[in-house]
């Protein structure tokens, strides 16, 4: 006779799970809604039983629609409004006219770091030291080292792009047309291209390292894009803990077998003055120099800290750049881009700029990219990575009064409906259409202005966020993407896509379906 009655055990487990789920749902309904400001209009809450919980759960797939619904009802009237969120953390969306006010508030009043740690699931990210220290060091490396040396790493950027594109799309014109998965192919190109600048030529072309890096990025992407959008309490650990274990394992393998030998060699060469000129300004070298100059304690040994920093920067740099590049090619090759002949125009501009190999490594070439830059900025406007952005938490105990007179309590999250603003017809005529020359025409109609560059945010273009919260790596990312567009259009024919690729949303984040195929052929370029 069995010691355990499995039928009774199964019934007990199901009953217990149902009980926990009911208690958890009641807790979410009764206790998380206390943070909802009562004096503001709202969108996304229906007249239904448990409207708070149901409205919040709907945001898993309806967050973009809810933010835009509120914007059309209240935002265009310069009113702030409340929207639910899948994390059960209510958010107050402010109108476009108050974006500058939001960006100028001190962190003691409106704090973005508190939101970032929660929203991006940083607490589950596999770090050997505290996240604040890593974030500070990452900002220092990008803002004070990399951004100052972008012109010096452009030869490495080009070398990485040429190698990755030729390997992925084909280098022999006699091979004819090839069918390739668009998203996977471009993701491989981005991974290899960015890795060339981050980790050097050896690791950037090591297939086994790139496979491990991609696994790390997948796991890290789930932690940063999904976990923070789940309700606090039960759901986050269920997803966060397994993926933390997965990414921790991958990170340790990368550190032990790939990064340690490379970092050790670089540190020894720096000490002896035998540093390789080709590696002097890539991410590894700049991380080593920057970490040695940090004025705050790192709490772990240098190697561990540098490894953590590099893996964190790889995740941050690859994920957003990869998604943006895929979005841009989807737009260029889609029906709207094809109808306007944008692929041919991009090729014409690239051919006029890049006449010799030296042109690819010259920073001056980027200044001549008007059509390519406009196309990138327009695709980014049309396809923001986050439908809600510039999120900050109210810090003062007595709350904050908004420019429209509304008062919000401590702990409230304030933000901007980025996608809805980017689709505002009063700001961008035909806002839902892909108009790749939109910003090029603005340059011609007015005076040339760097604020129209793809890398320059404004209170109506917040792809890279805005103000002090703007992404510090945006100049590197746009440089990589523009060079990829130039190289691909010059060297390859790609057939138009028969229809626009569908996008789907998970919480605040939008994705393209990964099943789209493209037909590619290498050109004979003299």
């Amino acid at each position: 006779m069995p010691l355990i009655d499995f039928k009774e055990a199964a019934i007990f487990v199901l009953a217990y799970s149902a009980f926990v789920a009911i208690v958890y749902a009641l807790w979410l309904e009764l206790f998380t809604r206390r943070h909802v400001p009562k004096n503001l209009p709202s969108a996304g809450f229906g007249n239904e039983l448990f409207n708070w919980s149901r409205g919040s759960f709907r945001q898993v797939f309806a967050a973009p629609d809810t933010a835009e619904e509120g914007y059309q009802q209240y935002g265009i009237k310069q009113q702030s409004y409340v929207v639910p969120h899948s994390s059960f953390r209510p958010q107050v969306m402010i109108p476009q006219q108050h974006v500058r006010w939001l960006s100028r508030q001190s962190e003691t009043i409106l704090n973005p770091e508190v939101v970032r740690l929660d929203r991006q699931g940083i607490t589950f990210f596999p770090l050997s030291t505290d996240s604040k220290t890593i974030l500070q060091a990452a900002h220092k490396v990008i803002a004070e080292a990399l951004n100052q040396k972008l012109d010096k790493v452009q030869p490495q950027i080009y070398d990485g792009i040429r190698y990755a594109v030729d390997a992925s799309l084909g280098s022999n014109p006699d091979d004819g047309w090839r069918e390739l998965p668009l998203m996977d192919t471009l993701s491989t190109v981005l991974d290899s291209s960015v890795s060339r600048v981050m980790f050097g030529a050896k690791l950037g072309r090591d297939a086994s390292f790139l496979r491990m890096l991609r696994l790390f990025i997948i796991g890290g992407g789930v932690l940063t894009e999904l976990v923070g959008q789940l309700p606090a309490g039960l759901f986050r650990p269920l997803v966060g803990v397994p993926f933390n274990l997965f990414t921790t394992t991958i990170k340790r393998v990368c550190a032990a077998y790939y990064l340690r030998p490379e970092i050790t060699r670089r540190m020894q060469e720096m000490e002896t003055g035998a540093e390789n000129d080709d590696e002097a300004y890539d991410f590894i070298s700049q991380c080593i120099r920057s970490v040695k100059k940090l004025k705050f304690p790192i709490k772990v040994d240098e190697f561990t800290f540098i490894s953590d920093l590099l893996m964190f920067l790889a995740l941050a740099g690859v994920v957003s750049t990869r998604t943006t590049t895929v979005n841009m090619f989807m737009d260029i090759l889609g029906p709207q881009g094809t109808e306007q002949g944008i692929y041919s125009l991009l090729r014409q501009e690239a051919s006029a700029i890049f006449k010799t190999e030296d042109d690819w490594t010259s920073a001056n070439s980027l200044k001549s990219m008007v059509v390519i830059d406009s196309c990138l900025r327009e695709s980014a406007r049309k396809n923001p990575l986050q439908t809600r952005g510039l999120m900050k938490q109210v810090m003062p105990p007595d709350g904050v009064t908004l420019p429209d007179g509304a008062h919000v309590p401590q702990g409230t999250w304030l933000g901007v409906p980025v996608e809805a603003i980017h689709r505002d017809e009063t700001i961008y005529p035909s806002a839902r259409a892909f108009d790749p020359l939109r910003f090029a025409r603005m340059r011609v109609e007015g005076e040339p202005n760097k604020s129209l560059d793809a890398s320059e945010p404004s209170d109506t273009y917040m792809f890279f966020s805005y103000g002090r919260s703007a992404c510090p790596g945006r100049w590197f990312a746009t440089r990589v993407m523009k060079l990829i567009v130039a190289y691909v259009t010059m060297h390859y024919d790609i057939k138009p896509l028969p229809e626009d690729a569908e996008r789907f949303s998970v919480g605040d984040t939008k994705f393209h379906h990964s099943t789209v195929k493209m037909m590619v052929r290498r050109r004979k370029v003299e």
Side-chain angles (χ1 to χ4, degrees):
M1 186 173 181
L3 297 176
I4 299 176
D5 187 325
F6 290 103
K7 182 177 180 180
E8 289 185 2
I11 292 173
F12 173 78
V13 170
L14 289 174
Y16 179 75
S17 300
F19 172 76
V20 171
I22 291 171
V23 171
Y24 183 52
L26 288 172
W27 176 78
L28 290 172
E29 176 69 26
L30 297 175
F31 295 101
T32 59
R33 70 185 304 160
R34 68 184 184 275
H35 297 293
V36 181
K38 302 294 192 297
N39 59 335
L40 289 173
S42 63
F45 299 101
N47 294 320
E48 55 195 353
L49 186 65
F50 296 117
N51 69 325
W52 167 242
S53 296
R54 294 167 72 174
S56 298
F57 277 122
R58 277 196 295 267
Q59 301 315 299
V60 173
F61 300 111
D65 295 335
T66 299
E68 183 156 3
E69 174 192 337
Y71 185 78
Q72 295 300 326
Q73 290 180 332
Y74 310 109
I76 57 175
K77 300 175 185 176
Q78 300 189 30
Q79 287 182 276
S80 302
Y81 58 96
V82 181
V83 292
H85 189 256
S86 56
S87 66
F88 278 71
R89 190 75 183 246
Q91 300 173 348
V92 173
M93 298 287 101
I94 68 169
Q96 183 273 327
Q97 292 79 4
H98 301 158
V99 169
R100 294 188 180 185
W101 171 86
L102 179 66
S103 70
R104 291 170 179 168
Q105 301 306 301
S106 71
E107 293 188 0
T108 58
I109 304 297
L110 299 177
N111 193 303
E113 293 301 323
V114 176
V115 177
R116 186 176 293 121
L117 293 176
D118 185 286
R119 191 186 189 197
Q120 296 182 343
I122 299 296
T123 53
F124 290 97
F125 198 77
L127 298 173
S128 302
T129 186
D130 64 280
S131 55
K132 183 177 181 180
T133 303
I134 286 289
L135 289 170
Q136 285 180 320
H139 188 275
K140 184 177 181 66
V141 170
I142 295 172
E144 299 180 16
L146 178 65
N147 286 344
Q148 306 301 321
K149 303 292 190 299
L150 279 178
D151 292 351
K152 293 184 178 296
V153 297
Q154 187 164 322
Q156 287 73 37
I157 294 174
Y158 169 59
D159 180 60
I161 289 171
R162 178 179 57 186
Y163 177 86
V165 173
D166 289 355
S168 299
L169 273 64
S171 57
N172 187 355
D174 295 332
D175 288 342
W177 290 99
R178 303 171 64 202
E179 184 180 64
L180 300 171
L182 189 150
M183 182 177 294
D184 188 62
T185 301
L186 291 179
S187 295
T188 300
V189 168
L190 259 296
D191 291 354
S192 181
S193 300
V194 173
S195 295
R196 169 65 176 89
V197 186
M198 295 197 72
F199 303 107
K202 181 181 177 181
L203 290 181
R205 293 173 184 174
D206 187 319
S208 60
F209 172 70
L210 292 176
R211 281 195 296 271
M212 296 300 293
L213 182 64
R214 175 168 285 198
L215 290 174
F216 176 81
I217 289 171
I218 291 172
V222 171
L223 291 174
T224 56
E225 298 292 344
L226 178 60
V227 171
Q229 303 197 58
L230 297 174
L234 182 64
F235 286 160
R236 289 192 184 185
L238 285 176
V239 178
V241 171
F243 276 94
N244 171 272
L245 294 174
F246 174 77
T247 51
T248 298
T249 301
I250 298 299
K251 188 194 76 169
R252 288 175 177 172
V253 171
C254 287
Y257 292 98
Y258 300 101
L259 295 182
R260 179 177 287 277
E262 190 68 16
I263 293 172
T264 301
R265 178 180 67 80
R266 300 284 189 96
M267 294 177 78
Q268 291 173 346
E269 290 179 352
M270 287 182 185
E271 291 175 359
T272 60
E275 191 173 7
N276 186 332
D277 289 341
D278 182 64
E279 301 171 343
Y281 299 104
D282 65 18
F283 277 55
I284 290 183
S285 294
Q286 299 211 57
C287 280
I288 293 172
R289 293 194 199 94
S290 296
V291 168
K292 290 182 177 296
K293 296 177 183 178
L294 292 178
K295 297 180 180 179
F296 49 84
I298 59 177
K299 303 175 184 178
V300 292
D301 64 273
E302 280 189 352
F303 167 75
T304 300
F305 189 82
I306 292 169
S307 297
D308 275 12
L309 184 56
L310 283 166
M311 296 301 284
F312 181 82
L313 288 171
L315 175 67
V318 170
V319 171
S320 57
T321 309
R322 175 199 290 176
T323 305
T324 307
T325 303
V326 169
N327 289 341
M328 179 165 51
F329 274 94
M330 292 281 194
D331 286 330
I332 291 169
L333 300 172
Q336 293 185 62
T338 301
E339 183 180 346
Q340 298 172 73
I342 187 59
Y343 197 91
S344 176
L345 293 175
L346 294 170
R347 175 180 289 170
Q348 289 175 23
E349 181 173 81
S351 300
I353 296 171
F354 299 104
K355 297 179 179 179
T356 67
E357 285 293 295
D358 290 340
D359 293 329
W360 289 101
T361 60
S362 170
N364 291 327
S365 300
L366 292 162
K367 299 175 183 178
S368 303
M369 292 185 179
V370 176
V371 176
I372 294 174
D373 187 90
S374 176
C375 181
L376 172 55
R377 184 177 173 107
E378 171 68 357
S379 181
R381 177 202 68 80
K382 179 173 171 283
N383 306 296
L385 298 179
Q386 297 283 335
T387 59
R388 309 173 188 181
L390 209 63
M391 303 298 300
K392 301 185 179 186
Q393 180 170 307
V394 175
M395 304 304 290
D398 57 349
V400 166
T401 299
L402 305 180
D404 57 9
H407 186 81
V408 292
Q410 183 185 40
T412 303
W413 283 12
L414 300 180
V416 177
V418 174
E419 186 174 52
I421 291 174
H422 285 191
R423 290 181 172 184
D424 190 333
E425 294 282 340
T426 64
I427 300 173
Y428 298 107
S430 303
R432 294 180 183 273
F434 173 60
D435 182 359
L437 300 181
R438 184 189 302 273
F439 297 102
R441 288 196 304 273
M442 291 171 67
R443 289 175 183 268
V444 173
E445 293 166 0
E447 294 186 4
N449 189 336
K450 73 173 184 178
S451 66
L452 295 176
D453 289 351
S455 60
E456 294 297 329
S458 71
D459 60 354
T460 57
Y461 171 70
M462 290 167 281
F463 180 83
F464 291 108
S465 194
Y466 179 64
R468 286 175 292 184
S469 298
C471 171
R474 61 190 185 276
W475 291 285
F476 171 73
T478 53
R479 186 175 295 225
V480 170
M481 289 186 285
K482 287 193 280 190
L483 287 172
I484 286 177
V485 170
Y487 190 84
V488 170
T489 54
M490 272 189 66
H491 294 88
Y492 295 87
D493 294 321
I494 305 181
K495 292 184 179 181
L497 299 177
E499 57 185 9
D500 286 320
E502 292 184 21
R503 299 180 78 205
F504 64 96
S505 62
V506 178
D508 295 332
T509 308
K510 282 195 167 184
F511 305 91
H512 267 118
H513 287 288
S514 59
T515 56
V516 178
K517 305 285 186 180
M518 61 178 178
M519 295 296 296
V520 182
R521 179 179 63 186
R522 177 81 179 204
R523 298 178 67 223
K524 294 182 180 180
V525 180
E526 296 180 0

